[in-house]
Amino acid sequence: MSPKEYMQQTLKTGYTVFNNTYEMAVMFQDQYEKAANAMLDQTNWMSDEQQKAIGRYVDTYKSGRDQFKAYVDESYKQFQSLF
């Protein structure tokens, strides 16, 4: 195996590991969100405004998570184009 092929394979393996880890983290976060929403729906001590603020926080977090994934994907494509 040439050094170029080795680097391509290493890069592909690293990207696959990242994707699998990312998807697993998303799955855990989404499951936690469902559980937290179920708990929040049953509370009567939180106002609607407070629950909306939590919802906006979750939306912002998901947006950041998706942007991070997009940055990694773009970096992978640029790095791959070097080979």
Side-chain angles (χ1 to χ4, degrees):
M1 180 180 293
S2 73
K4 180 180 176 180
E5 291 171 335
Y6 177 77
M7 284 301 297
Q8 287 175 334
Q9 186 65 33
T10 301
L11 183 63
K12 183 178 178 183
T13 301
Y15 187 65
T16 301
V17 168
F18 169 79
N19 279 329
N20 291 341
T21 304
Y22 176 82
E23 292 300 323
M24 185 177 58
V26 167
M27 182 183 67
F28 283 128
Q29 291 167 352
D30 289 346
Q31 191 65 31
Y32 178 76
E33 179 188 3
K34 288 178 187 176
N37 284 337
M39 182 188 71
L40 288 174
D41 288 342
Q42 296 176 9
T43 62
N44 53 4
W45 54 269
M46 287 187 78
S47 70
D48 287 340
E49 186 177 314
Q50 290 171 321
Q51 288 186 359
K52 287 178 185 177
I54 292 171
R56 286 191 303 269
Y57 171 76
V58 170
D59 292 342
T60 301
Y61 181 81
K62 285 181 178 181
S63 174
R65 178 181 74 189
D66 294 341
Q67 286 178 347
F68 174 71
K69 176 75 164 92
Y71 294 147
V72 171
D73 290 344
E74 183 60 32
S75 296
Y76 173 75
K77 288 177 187 174
Q78 289 178 359
F79 199 172
Q80 192 177 26
S81 71
L82 295 175
F83 294 103

